[in-house]
Amino acid sequence: MDYRPIIFEVFGGLAGESKKVLDCLNRLVAENTNSPVGLVAQRFWTRLSIDLQRSNHRAWERRVRAS
């Protein structure tokens, strides 16, 4: 199995190869769960957005507490 890094651009875009990897992963999840690919992709992006927002808030909170 190959290691494929998923690289995001600073402003949220994806590198070309990263989009292909994510599309493939979403398609495989959709096939294994008998769900539409669009729904799986929507849930993926929603979850990623929530995780990034939480992470950013935790980092901000640590910096505020340290000062």
Side-chain angles (χ1 to χ4, degrees):
M1 185 158 145
D2 276 344
Y3 171 74
R4 300 284 178 163
I6 299 174
I7 301 169
F8 290 86
E9 301 293 333
V10 175
F11 294 108
L14 284 171
E17 188 69 23
S18 297
K19 178 158 176 30
K20 291 177 187 176
V21 171
L22 288 178
D23 288 345
C24 182
L25 287 172
N26 285 331
R27 191 172 51 253
L28 290 171
V29 169
E31 289 173 5
N32 287 324
T33 59
N34 293 322
S35 301
V37 176
L39 179 62
V40 170
Q42 180 183 6
R43 288 180 177 168
F44 168 80
W45 288 111
T46 301
R47 184 64 204 204
L48 179 63
S49 173
I50 291 168
D51 289 345
L52 287 172
Q53 289 176 48
R54 283 181 180 163
S55 180
N56 285 336
H57 177 73
R58 287 181 186 135
W60 173 82
E61 195 173 48
R62 279 193 301 271
R63 275 182 258 149
V64 168
R65 286 183 187 170
S67 57

